[in-house]
Amino acid sequence: MKKIGVVGAGTMGSGIAQKAAMEGFTVTVVDLDEAALQKSRQRMEEIFSESIQRRLLRDEDVAKVWGRIRFSTRLTNLAESDLVIEAIFEDLDAKMALFRQLSEILSPDAVIATNTSTFPVTDLARSVSRPERFVGLHFFYHPVKNRL
């Protein structure tokens, strides 16, 4: 597994994407709204700046991580992802519609994950074409700072 997609550029999605990139994965963050993607970049920059100030990371480390992060408004840019993590707002219909779209875009070997804390994973799995490749992958706030 080398390429991870994160759908949803809010606080959790941004943190999940940043943490994955810090762990060496190539990450694509997708959101429908360009303004949300810009805010995601800003959130990440703040965390990186804090990490540099606290001497947890060096400038060159941060530059390498930024080199592994992409931002997009197109779900189709996730087509080559090995894993896509959903981190959108807690709306059942929106999540299920997203999972149906991802089922059409991703390769048969890709894994789709939800970060939901509200809905049963088994219910959400009904919306994908390969439910055996659907998992719950819940991150705690803040993904970069919380060692869980």
Side-chain angles (χ1 to χ4, degrees):
M1 195 167 285
K2 295 180 181 180
K3 295 180 181 179
I4 294 178
V6 177
V7 181
T11 301
M12 286 304 294
S14 297
I16 292 166
Q18 187 173 10
K19 180 63 174 169
M22 290 171 73
E23 296 299 327
F25 295 97
T26 300
V27 181
T28 302
V29 182
V30 175
D31 199 289
L32 298 175
D33 183 15
E34 184 62 47
L37 293 172
Q38 182 59 35
K39 194 167 183 178
S40 176
R41 287 183 192 97
Q42 291 170 346
R43 281 187 192 99
M44 290 182 195
E45 184 59 46
E46 289 170 9
I47 298 295
F48 284 137
S49 293
E50 180 183 316
S51 297
I52 290 169
Q53 288 174 2
R54 294 180 63 207
R55 296 188 175 136
L56 300 172
L57 293 174
R58 298 171 299 168
D59 287 329
E60 53 268 25
D61 300 325
V62 171
K64 286 178 186 176
V65 175
W66 273 124
R68 291 190 288 269
I69 301 173
R70 309 284 182 273
F71 296 88
S72 178
T73 56
R74 296 180 180 184
L75 284 176
T76 53
N77 286 340
L78 299 175
E80 295 181 9
S81 298
D82 302 303
L83 167 68
V84 174
I85 303 166
E86 167 273 319
I88 67 171
F89 53 96
E90 294 297 305
D91 178 281
L92 182 63
D93 292 334
K95 287 179 185 289
M96 292 180 86
L98 171 63
F99 297 138
R100 283 190 290 277
Q101 287 180 289
L102 290 173
S103 287
E104 294 176 10
I105 294 167
L106 301 175
S107 79
D109 294 331
V111 174
I112 300 173
T114 180
N115 186 56
T116 190
S117 58
T118 305
F119 304 111
V121 174
T122 53
D123 289 354
L124 295 172
R126 291 188 202 124
S127 62
V128 298
S129 58
R130 293 173 300 282
E132 70 279 4
R133 307 228 18 112
F134 186 87
V135 298
L137 186 62
H138 188 73
F139 290 81
F140 292 90
Y141 181 81
H142 186 278
V144 175
K145 296 179 180 182
N146 191 330
R147 292 186 180 168
L148 291 175

